Every structure is written in C-alpha cells, then in structure tokens.
Amino acid sequence: MRARRSRGEGPAVIHSLLRPTARVLPRAPLTAGVALGLLVAALPRLLPDAESQLLGLALLRATALAFALGLTFLLDEPARPTTEAVPTGRQVRTWLRAALALPAAALGWCAALLLIPQAARPPLADVTAEAAALTATALALAAAAARRSSETRPGRIAVQVLPVLVVAGILLPERWGLFVAPGSPEWDAAHDRWAAVLLVALTLWTASVREPIRRRALRNGFGRGMLRP
C-alpha cells in the first residue's frame, strides 16, 4: 500500500512543482545564451557570399557554445540553503529544471540550423551531436559544482571551466581531435569521440544530481523526527 501510494503521488508532486520551478529558472543567462547563439548563426544572412561550409560549421559550433554557456547557469538557486530539507529531493527538482529548459534550447538550435544558408550547412546530424555533447557537459559541470560545494550559483564555476575544456579540445592533435573540419578523414572518428564525451557527461550529470549522502541522512532524520509523537 505504501509503495502504491508513493507511485501515485509522484506525478502530482511533479505537477505541483512545475509552476514554482519555472518561476525560479535563471531566465536572464538562459535567454542571453540563446539570443547570442542565434545572432551568431544569423551572420551569414548579413554577410555577402558567406556560403562556405567551413564558416557555417564554425558559426554553428560558436552557437552551440553560446547555448551551453547559458545553460551552465540552469542550477543557480540563491535559496538553496533553505530548500535542502524540503520533502522533494534535489534530484527531482534538478531533472525538472532540465526538462523545462532543454525544449526551448532545442527549438533555438533548430532555428540556428535554419539560419545557416543551405550551401553553408555542414552535416547537420553530426554538428547536432556536438551541440548535444557540449550541452550535456555544461549541465554536468553545473551539477558537479552544486553537489560538491555549498555554492548557490554553480554556474559561475561551470561557465569558467567549459571554455577551458573547449580550448583544450581545439588544441588536440587532429588524430585525437574533436573540432575537425568537414571532409577531414578524421571526421567520423571525431564524432565517435563526441559520442563518448556525451556519454561521460550524461554519466557525470546522473551521478551529480543525486542527493548527497549527508543531506539525505539529514532529511530522513528530519522526517522521522517530525513523525514521532
């Protein structure tokens, strides 16, 4: 009976959290990241003869980075110290934030792809895989920073680390590189490496959004204390 009741309460709890979670999302950095990315993607429409596939790839990579930098602030929560002992765990609240923000980012990415002239578009599936890996890395860095510190704005940490990782990826030799040019013999191998980056980032995200053991114990103890007569 208890297990059945908890399963039934899950959707109701999530539904009750939708509106307050949407209200506290850090809209300014998220909107700025999408706006900057779309502005970069629109440059070929403003420049004459900007139909190079290499230019299109560079602009889409810059767009993906702008989106990812905006998403590093997704978990910023100035009220975090007051929400550590609430009944709903941090894992649920964190996944809900991602579920609310990522569809808008996906729509923005689709718009960016359409802004690039057809003649300048690189292989869209491959560059979208790069964008997904960058996005997952940004979210994983923010989640790791939130889990391992009491920082209420983990985005300030993640936004510094992500560009360093990107520069490191650019400086890798081509045979190990991530940011290779279209037509390179390493293109397919590079996107296998992007898939590995995505898998590692998703693993780190999943591990980092779990409730820290100390806080989980505190919450459970708090709950037991409240139930005692």
Side-chain angles (χ1 to χ4, degrees):
M1 290 290 292
R2 186 174 303 171
R4 190 178 303 133
R5 187 181 303 130
S6 64
R7 284 197 298 268
E9 289 174 356
V13 170
I14 292 174
H15 183 267
S16 68
L17 287 173
L18 281 174
R19 186 173 296 178
T21 301
R23 280 203 304 265
V24 299
L25 285 178
R27 290 187 182 86
L30 296 176
T31 303
V34 172
L36 178 59
L38 291 177
L39 180 62
V40 169
L43 286 178
R45 303 287 181 177
L46 307 175
L47 301 174
D49 302 324
E51 295 188 351
S52 163
Q53 194 176 76
L54 187 60
L55 175 62
L57 176 62
L59 293 177
L60 283 176
R61 283 172 170 168
T63 296
L65 179 59
F67 282 20
L69 289 172
L71 286 167
T72 57
F73 296 94
L74 179 65
L75 304 185
D76 283 11
E77 187 178 358
R80 177 169 288 118
T82 65
T83 61
E84 287 184 349
V86 298
T88 306
R90 186 166 66 94
Q91 183 171 355
V92 173
R93 291 181 280 117
T94 302
W95 277 104
L96 188 56
R97 282 185 174 229
L100 288 170
L102 289 179
L107 287 175
W109 178 251
C110 291
L113 294 179
L114 293 175
L115 285 171
I116 300 294
Q118 188 170 1
R121 290 174 191 167
L124 297 186
D126 290 337
V127 75
T128 298
E130 295 182 18
L134 277 176
T135 296
T137 301
L139 294 177
L141 290 172
R147 178 178 173 85
R148 298 181 179 278
S149 72
S150 57
E151 177 63 59
T152 60
R153 299 184 186 274
R156 293 187 294 191
I157 300 173
V159 79
Q160 297 175 52
V161 177
L162 183 61
V164 174
L165 295 179
V166 170
V167 171
I170 293 172
L171 295 178
L172 286 172
E174 187 174 8
R175 65 181 182 275
W176 300 324
L178 295 170
F179 298 95
V180 299
S184 167
E186 292 293 325
W187 180 265
D188 290 338
H191 287 86
D192 290 340
R193 291 188 282 273
W194 275 113
V197 171
L198 176 60
L199 179 61
V200 170
L202 290 175
T203 302
L204 177 59
W205 160 267
T206 303
S208 297
V209 298
R210 294 176 181 172
E211 198 74 38
I213 294 175
R214 180 177 60 83
R215 294 177 189 171
R216 188 163 58 237
L218 176 63
R219 182 178 287 114
N220 290 341
F222 177 78
R224 286 193 298 269
M226 291 292 291
L227 292 174
R228 287 175 185 170

